[in-house]
Amino acid sequence: MHLDPILPEARVRAMREAGLWHDRLLTDYLDEAVAAHADRPAIVAVSSTTGEPTTLTYRALADLVERIAAGLMRLGVERGDIVSYQLPNWWQFSALHLACLRIGAITNPLMPIFRERELGFMLDFARSKVLVVPSQFRGFDHAAMARALRARLPALAHLLVIGGEGEESFERLLAPAGDAAARFAGRRPGADEVVQILFTSGTTGEPKGVMHTSNTLLSNVTAFIDRVGLTGEDVLQMSSPMAHQTGFMYGLMAPVVLATKVVLQDVWQPEQAADLIRAEGVTFTMASTPFLSDLTDVATRRPETVASLRIFLSAGAPIPRVLARRAAEALGATILSAWGMTENGAATIVRPQDGPEKTFETDGCALPGVEVRVVDPYGTPLPPDQEGRLQIRSASNFVGYLRRPEWYGMDPEGWFETGDLARIDADGYIRITGRAKDIIIRGGENIPVVEVEGLIYRHPAVQEAAVVAMPDPRLGERACAFVVLKSGADLSLAALCDFLSAQKMATQYLPERLEVVEHMPKTPSGKIQKFHLRERAKTLAPEARKTG
């Protein structure tokens, strides 16, 4: 399949001359790990179905990778073919990507929560040749769904089911590979070829197939490792879905680069996560804000379970600062905040040695090989501490959207529109202030949505919060706050506004409607899908307590 990655020769040359692209594949790191640490544990994967862990050494992992690669070749998978898989955080997830690299196939991970509508669109749009699914996961029959979709997917030649039977059996790929090394050598992809297609998780409602190469992915992973200070002595834990860029880059790729152990959890269970941290000596984990909140609650009751944890990196959504401070105390670990996106990976990260004013009040500074800037509506860079559109120019910047080159959003100088609003301080640290589409303009004045949300999170009754616009015939827009309350708590709009006023919030920024909901609509990575809330807010009106 011809994917047409957008890779201007000037960018390729500049990245190599700067030493940011090293023309390596993740399988090169795997080979080095096997040579130096063959018997070191590579993966400990815990199944929510059985409760039992599967442990693979680097030797065992490499053998399985060769078997799967040879098995895919027997099915007729060629260089450039797309292998899609809808899998939880199981060892097969990691092994499949490495096997695809061995033979030049392209990995297309898909979130386990996707159902017929999303899955059918993505498989058809990608023209996937192979689909791998679990037989069942979390009580859902993935195999039956995949079979029902096959009739309208003419490009899909093979359906493989983990735990399946006959022609559908994934396990038939695990036959001995024989002398496959010579055949693999001729299939090795170039470091600038597309090796991963990852559909955006849908905060705007429109999935886009983000294309990455080995150079774009690894330039980020290695910079990430250096910034966070990870070494081969660390043990990583990944509970975020590996079909999301966070899980893929830092739960699949980073451990192989480090030749160290990763502990995979397929269903987020905070108590189990804490038990795994203690049992496996986990020192680093990364996840979005809800995971941090949950683990902090466990650590408050069972501090001994997290004694080994050195760093928790929270990304995916701005961390309420009150939570970051509480987590640092309860976990006894360094809490790092970061900002990134599927198109770039983590792009800005707080340094572990930074003081509280940076750690708790910013989203970090740019990694090596990454530049960020804030511009006004005309594209002119703004001075420090002024809000504007956040742009990024990066070694890890993706190489286009699948079959949609017109959506690339890159200017001739290589700056990419992130869709975020931010401020950058004089030291180069960014603070995400909202999404461009999150702006609420009330009577001509912008409401700082993220700051309002951060203050709402401080209310003792609030578990989660999101603020979106309600259309208003007089002021254009007003703010509606959606909240999930803690168990047994109660909250009125008047009480919330009194609380926010006590925090010295401007009257014009106060929410003018409060909607208490049982749960927030979210992407699999934990981001609140505000487009759902905005649709609901279109039908709402301000409550009796009005301001301004």
Side-chain angles (χ1 to χ4, degrees):
M1 182 177 179
H2 189 52
L3 298 180
D4 291 324
I6 301 172
L7 262 177
E9 182 55 38
R11 181 189 182 196
V12 175
R13 183 171 59 252
M15 293 299 100
R16 291 196 173 99
E17 289 175 353
L20 297 170
W21 286 0
H22 299 111
D23 296 331
R24 306 195 75 203
L25 308 182
L26 188 61
T27 44
D28 297 333
Y29 290 96
L30 175 64
D31 294 340
E32 290 172 1
V34 173
H37 309 288
D39 296 320
R40 176 180 289 178
I43 295 174
V44 177
V46 180
S47 167
S48 58
T49 303
T50 66
E52 295 299 318
T54 297
T55 300
L56 297 175
T57 64
Y58 272 96
R59 188 196 315 274
L61 175 60
D63 177 63
L64 286 165
V65 166
E66 286 209 354
R67 290 174 181 237
I68 294 169
L72 290 173
M73 289 174 64
R74 289 194 300 270
L75 294 181
V77 175
E78 303 288 346
R79 276 192 61 169
D81 283 342
I82 294 176
V83 176
S84 298
Y85 49 90
Q86 188 186 37
L87 294 179
N89 291 6
W90 293 352
W91 68 262
Q92 292 93 336
F93 192 112
S94 296
L96 267 165
H97 175 61
L98 291 161
C100 286
L101 277 176
R102 284 282 191 226
I103 62 173
I106 298 168
T107 298
N108 171 224
L110 299 162
M111 287 288 190
I113 67 165
F114 291 156
R115 296 298 181 256
E116 287 88 344
R117 183 171 177 271
E118 304 93 341
L119 197 66
F121 168 81
M122 293 171 183
L123 292 170
D124 183 53
F125 194 76
R127 299 168 186 166
S128 306
K129 190 167 190 176
V130 176
L131 172 63
V132 182
V133 299
S135 176
Q136 292 203 6
F137 179 62
R138 304 192 78 172
F140 182 78
D141 194 330
H142 286 265
M145 175 178 64
R147 290 186 199 110
L149 285 171
R150 283 196 74 178
R152 56 187 175 98
L153 297 171
L156 187 63
H158 300 282
L159 169 63
L160 299 174
V161 179
I162 294 177
E165 298 178 352
E167 290 297 304
E168 287 185 352
S169 172
F170 171 82
E171 286 70 25
R172 69 190 177 103
L173 297 185
L174 304 181
D179 184 17
R183 288 180 289 158
F184 293 163
R187 298 286 196 98
R188 178 185 172 91
D192 290 330
E193 293 181 32
V194 175
V195 296
Q196 182 214 51
I197 297 171
L198 196 58
F199 283 94
T200 54
S201 49
T203 56
T204 63
E206 174 114 11
K208 295 180 285 190
V210 176
M211 301 190 294
H212 274 285
T213 69
S214 291
N215 272 330
T216 60
L217 291 169
L218 284 168
S219 67
N220 180 270
V221 171
T222 53
F224 176 96
I225 287 169
D226 289 344
R227 169 62 59 85
V228 177
L230 299 176
T231 73
E233 300 303 310
D234 281 297
V235 176
L236 283 56
Q237 178 166 311
M238 186 50 64
S239 303
S240 293
M242 291 204 296
H244 179 262
Q245 203 66 285
T246 293
F248 193 96
M249 296 176 82
Y250 315 117
L252 191 165
M253 297 183 70
V256 177
V257 170
L258 290 165
T260 195
K261 177 173 70 174
V262 64
V263 181
L264 303 180
Q265 188 180 21
D266 65 355
V267 174
W268 174 242
Q269 297 171 340
E271 299 283 352
Q272 183 192 55
D275 291 338
L276 289 170
I277 290 171
R278 177 167 58 180
E280 301 294 340
V282 171
T283 61
F284 170 86
T285 192
M286 178 178 181
S288 59
T289 304
F291 293 70
L292 177 62
S293 178
D294 290 347
L295 192 61
T296 297
D297 290 343
V298 176
T300 301
R301 292 180 279 104
R302 303 170 59 205
E304 71 283 358
T305 60
V306 297
S308 64
L309 191 64
R310 191 166 65 85
I311 295 172
F312 191 116
L313 196 155
S314 185
I319 317 172
R321 299 320 181 206
V322 64
L323 170 60
R325 294 177 184 275
R326 185 166 64 91
E329 181 177 343
L331 295 172
T334 299
I335 309 300
L336 300 181
S337 58
W339 167 83
M341 54 199 310
T342 303
E343 288 85 345
N344 287 280
T348 65
I349 306 177
V350 172
R351 293 183 171 95
Q353 66 270 27
D354 283 333
E357 73 283 356
K358 301 297 188 189
T359 300
F360 298 138
E361 304 300 332
T362 80
D363 296 290
C365 57
L367 291 177
V370 176
E371 299 171 83
V372 290
R373 70 180 186 182
V374 168
V375 301
D376 67 15
Y378 305 101
T380 304
L382 292 168
D385 299 318
Q386 290 196 25
E387 183 184 73
R389 304 194 326 263
L390 182 64
Q391 296 181 332
I392 181 171
R393 183 165 63 186
S394 171
S396 61
N397 204 76
F398 70 126
V399 296
Y401 295 113
L402 177 66
R403 296 171 54 199
R404 292 289 187 266
E406 67 275 13
W407 290 352
Y408 194 39
M410 190 88 64
D411 74 12
E413 295 179 347
W415 289 101
F416 175 69
E417 286 284 351
T418 66
D420 284 315
L421 300 174
R423 294 191 297 268
I424 301 181
D425 68 19
D427 300 320
Y429 284 72
I430 75 168
R431 179 73 172 103
I432 300 297
T433 56
R435 293 285 295 169
K437 292 185 178 179
D438 284 349
I439 294 175
I440 299 175
I441 303 176
R442 183 187 185 277
E445 183 170 3
N446 289 4
I447 294 178
V449 170
V450 172
E451 293 181 17
V452 176
E453 290 170 344
L455 288 176
I456 294 175
Y457 266 102
R458 295 190 180 194
H459 194 288
V462 173
Q463 182 72 31
E464 291 184 289
V467 176
V468 300
M470 291 183 298
D472 185 82
R474 185 170 73 88
L475 295 177
E477 294 176 331
R478 297 178 188 258
C480 176
F482 287 83
V483 301
V484 176
L485 298 179
K486 293 179 180 177
S487 179
D490 187 42
L491 185 64
S492 67
L493 177 64
L496 176 61
C497 289
D498 287 344
F499 175 83
L500 295 175
S501 295
Q503 308 295 311
K504 310 301 182 185
M505 177 181 284
T507 300
Q508 291 86 348
Y509 296 165
L510 293 175
E512 296 178 73
R513 187 177 182 96
L514 176 66
E515 286 289 298
V516 176
V517 295
E518 291 186 6
H519 58 83
M520 295 286 188
K522 293 179 182 177
T523 70
S525 61
K527 295 180 185 178
I528 294 173
Q529 294 176 308
K530 285 193 171 182
F531 70 93
H532 284 306
L533 300 181
R534 281 193 289 268
E535 284 300 310
R536 180 167 170 180
K538 287 179 180 179
T539 66
L540 304 176
E543 295 183 46
R545 178 186 172 117
K546 297 184 179 180
T547 62

